[in-house]
Amino acid sequence: MDHIGEQILIFLSVCSLIFSSSAANPTTPLNCTDTTRLCTSFIAFKPTAEQTLQVIQSMFDVLPQDITIEGNGRNYIFIKKNCSCSSDLNKYLTSTTFTVRENNGSVYDMVMRAYDGLAYFSSNVTREARKGAVVSLKLMCGCSSGLWNYLMSYVMRDGDSIESLASRFGVSMDRIETVNGITNPDNVTIGALYYIPLNSGLWA
Ligand SMILES: *[C@@H]1O[C@H](CO)[C@@H](O)[C@H](O)[C@H]1NC(C)=O
Ligand SMILES: *[C@@H]1O[C@H](CO)[C@@H](O)[C@H](O)[C@H]1NC(C)=O
Ligand SMILES: *[C@@H]1O[C@H](CO)[C@@H](O)[C@H](O)[C@H]1NC(C)=O
Ligand SMILES: *[C@@H]1O[C@H](CO)[C@@H](O)[C@H](O)[C@H]1NC(C)=O
Ligand SMILES: *[C@@H]1O[C@H](CO)[C@@H](O)[C@H](O)[C@H]1NC(C)=O
């Protein structure tokens, strides 16, 4: 093979490495192959008035030191969680438990409401939730492929844009677009989960 051909091949391999981490559909978990992988990840969460810090600790199975409150009147919470590559699903997920506080609909609906787009069920849990029951579930998270240090799971809300997230978290729009396979930054889905690449463990 000639020199130019070799360079093109290397370039293509680097590209496929970068883009293999892209999510085709942002609401699905990131695929992974190395099931020994374990990393620190972050989850952005906007609690409701009833979701006190104590409730949040229980919902995410974390300690107070794993929780940071965002300033600027945004009232977001950033949660530090270990993220791993699930060996049966080959997806990046983190485990937690949810304690049912009142009888009100199916486990699926209750969890979807409480975690607001962060939860992942590999099957549909339509059974009724009983007060006091402890439900195991998975949340979507991500490990970086090496170009940045951390990924933060973030559910897009009305008023958010790739541009506003880039400035809020100090990353370039390009990076957010690359990780999430976004081709048109003006076309994002409200309520869908995106992964924000972070270089510093601001809240680690
Ligand atoms: C992730 O894996 C699933 C099933 O293995 C596949 O259908 C999907 O296309 C993959 N997604 C990406 C972004 O590679
Ligand atoms: C997260 O992973 C690290 C490294 O393996 C481990 O030491 C730590 O105990 C884990 N934390 C939790 C909460 O499981
Ligand atoms: C049950 O869930 C619905 C949302 O589907 C909510 O409007 C209602 O207030 C809940 N009931 C109780 C008792 O919290
Ligand atoms: C799961 O079941 C609930 C209740 O039956 C339904 O509203 C929801 O759309 C279903 N979700 C999926 C992904 O099938
Ligand atoms: C926006 O994105 C969705 C899915 O990601 C796609 O189906 C749709 O065609 C896009 N719309 C525009 C105007 O690009």
Side-chain angles (χ1 to χ4, degrees):
M1 190 188 308
D2 64 22
H3 188 60
I4 297 287
E6 204 170 2
Q7 277 186 341
I8 289 173
L9 234 181
I10 289 169
F11 175 74
L12 288 178
S13 330
V14 169
C15 285
S16 75
L17 257 181
I18 292 171
F19 290 105
S20 63
S21 67
S22 301
N25 176 350
T27 51
T28 58
L30 288 174
N31 288 346
C32 56
T33 49
D34 178 3
T35 56
T36 63
R37 189 76 198 276
L38 174 80
C39 71
T40 296
S41 68
F42 294 92
I43 293 174
F45 183 64
K46 192 173 173 67
T48 61
E50 304 81 60
Q51 288 166 331
T52 60
L53 275 183
Q54 222 172 353
V55 170
I56 292 165
Q57 272 180 60
S58 155
M59 280 176 66
F60 291 93
D61 284 356
V62 290
L63 300 170
Q65 63 262 31
D66 300 318
I67 295 178
T68 303
I69 301 168
E70 184 179 28
N72 306 322
R74 285 203 180 88
N75 298 321
Y76 264 78
I77 304 254
F78 302 121
I79 297 143
K80 189 170 84 158
K81 283 285 282 180
N82 278 348
C83 179
S84 59
C85 179
S86 152
S87 57
D88 47 341
L89 299 169
N90 283 107
K91 299 195 182 303
Y92 281 122
L93 295 167
T94 183
S95 301
T96 190
T97 54
F98 177 69
T99 304
V100 178
R101 282 159 199 280
E102 63 197 2
N103 296 335
N104 189 4
S106 70
V107 169
Y108 181 89
D109 289 341
M110 201 170 279
V111 163
M112 285 304 173
R113 271 203 304 277
Y115 293 88
D116 195 26
L118 294 167
Y120 176 73
F121 282 116
S122 52
S123 60
N124 204 342
V125 194
T126 51
R127 68 174 187 274
E128 284 291 303
R130 294 267 163 259
K131 185 175 178 183
V134 178
V135 178
S136 296
L137 67 128
K138 306 280 188 197
L139 303 173
M140 292 182 253
C141 60
C143 292
S144 162
S145 53
L147 297 172
W148 29 77
N149 292 328
Y150 306 103
L151 290 178
M152 180 169 68
S153 305
Y154 186 94
V155 175
M156 197 68 77
R157 294 217 164 217
D158 218 4
D160 288 337
S161 64
I162 299 300
E163 193 176 3
S164 70
L165 294 177
S167 99
R168 180 168 161 199
F169 297 114
V171 291
S172 70
M173 289 175 63
D174 272 4
R175 276 192 177 187
I176 299 177
E177 289 162 25
T178 302
V179 171
N180 294 284
I182 297 169
T183 46
N184 175 4
D186 295 327
N187 181 19
V188 292
T189 309
I190 303 302
L193 188 139
Y194 290 85
Y195 299 93
I196 314 283
L198 301 171
N199 256 342
S200 60
L202 288 175
W203 316 288

